[in-house]
Amino acid sequence: MFAHNKRLQYTVRVSGPNPGLANLMLEQFGGPQGELAAAMRYFTQAVAEDDPGRKDMLFDIATEELSHLEVIGHIVAMLNKGAKGRLAEAAEEEAEMYKSITGAGNDSHITQVLYGAGAPLTNSAGVPWTAAYIDSITEPSADLRSNIAAEARAKIVYERLISLTDDPGVKEALGFLMTREVAHLKSFEKALYSMEPNFPPGKMPVVPAFASVYYNMSQGDGEMRGPWNQGADWNFVSDRDKQSAVDGGTGEAEVALPDADIAVLQQMAARTMSNPDSAPRTGAELGMLQSASGGTIANAGGESKDQATVASMGGPLDDTGVGNAMGSGKPLK
């Protein structure tokens, strides 16, 4: 069960309202690297986890992430506090109010007007939170690596947010949240390496012939060698002929079909076959000819719009798209 303590995990001290900064903070409230995404990722992993140690860790960190969501939400609310009252009570002239909520040069006016200067579950661009942010696959050797990457990304977002404000209280709270990302990252790394073996992820063995091959697929100026593609651990392959059909086969896709399926496919192929010797006149070409002649094909020769020509009836066209040997673009009698 969950039990809520009304005291925040970290005290929120905001020097003054700043709707633009509040909007940017939503990135860590309802964004892909935000606290809600982290809490839901770890909570769902914990529910499915069978290892007692990892299960306990995941529940602890998931619950702390909800506490971080609360901290971020209060920062957003405090930064929006002045705008909330002005919007609710229409305390300013229309032009001044619009200027005050758009002065930060971002989309803060969207979240303020649509959500009443609250803390909506969106990112800083107003995109609603989605469960698609959760990439768990219920395999600890993969999920723990994903969690490590998620904590690393969240730390970088916090670094960027810290660099955007001179509010000492906001910087302090964000610094705490950023530091907790590193603490969680360490826990996930320790949990990963306590599994032996943990690489490669999963259970099935890899194909040894391809496990230590580096295919030099992008060739030209700028090629580099390093520990990622050289040394005793790697077989570096630059030969183009050795980069295709590496299994020793033909390099083509093949399937064994019943005779009945083959007959139907041959019938379809015959029906949809293109004629490489044809030179059909396309609608795009006719439109270009129409634009060049300054009018419709049917009346390009000066005829009345109501008089049909061979061209307007779909008959053969000469190179101008207007006349032809049969009718020369003249009205049909």
Side-chain angles (χ1 to χ4, degrees), residues 72-294:
I72 282 289
H74 277 81
I75 292 175
V76 172
M78 296 301 102
L79 289 169
N80 268 333
K81 199 61 114 174
K84 180 180 179 181
R86 292 198 304 272
L87 282 167
E89 301 302 322
E92 296 177 343
E93 294 293 331
E94 290 87 345
E96 286 301 314
M97 184 179 297
Y98 184 77
K99 180 180 178 181
S100 68
I101 65 177
T102 57
N106 57 39
D107 291 334
S108 60
H109 59 290
I110 296 176
T111 51
Q112 289 187 56
V113 172
L114 292 183
Y115 304 108
L121 284 175
T122 70
N123 68 2
S124 59
V127 178
W129 187 89
T130 170
Y133 295 153
I134 312 305
D135 56 4
S136 303
I137 199 170
T138 318
E139 163 52 52
S141 59
D143 284 340
L144 287 169
R145 285 183 167 86
S146 179
N147 296 350
I148 291 167
E151 295 291 335
R153 291 193 298 267
K155 179 183 184 291
I156 298 304
V157 176
Y158 276 124
E159 287 185 5
R160 294 170 180 173
L161 290 173
I162 290 170
S163 69
L164 290 173
T165 180
D166 58 1
D167 187 314
V170 173
K171 291 176 83 77
E172 188 178 301
L174 294 179
F176 165 76
L177 295 173
M178 179 192 71
T179 303
R180 293 306 298 161
E181 305 295 348
V182 177
H184 296 164
L185 191 156
K186 287 168 57 179
S187 292
F188 290 137
E189 281 198 335
K190 293 288 188 181
L192 173 64
Y193 292 119
S194 71
M195 296 172 55
E196 296 180 1
N198 65 72
F199 184 84
K203 175 184 177 181
M204 296 183 65
V206 298
V207 180
F210 306 121
S212 299
V213 178
Y214 186 95
Y215 292 112
N216 183 26
M217 306 296 273
S218 176
Q219 300 183 15
D221 292 341
E223 287 190 58
M224 294 288 293
R225 300 295 299 272
W228 54 87
N229 64 8
Q230 73 177 0
D233 291 335
W234 294 107
N235 175 20
F236 189 83
V237 179
S238 288
D239 188 336
R240 292 300 193 193
D241 290 336
K242 295 181 179 179
Q243 292 177 348
S244 60
V246 296
D247 60 322
T250 64
E252 298 181 356
E254 302 174 358
V255 60
L257 292 173
D259 291 342
D261 285 350
I262 294 174
V264 173
L265 286 170
Q266 290 174 339
Q267 179 181 336
M268 182 189 70
R271 178 178 61 82
T272 60
M273 183 182 296
S274 60
N275 181 3
D277 297 324
S278 66
R281 179 82 66 175
T282 67
E285 291 170 320
L286 294 176
M288 292 170 63
L289 291 168
Q290 173 182 333
S291 298
S293 64

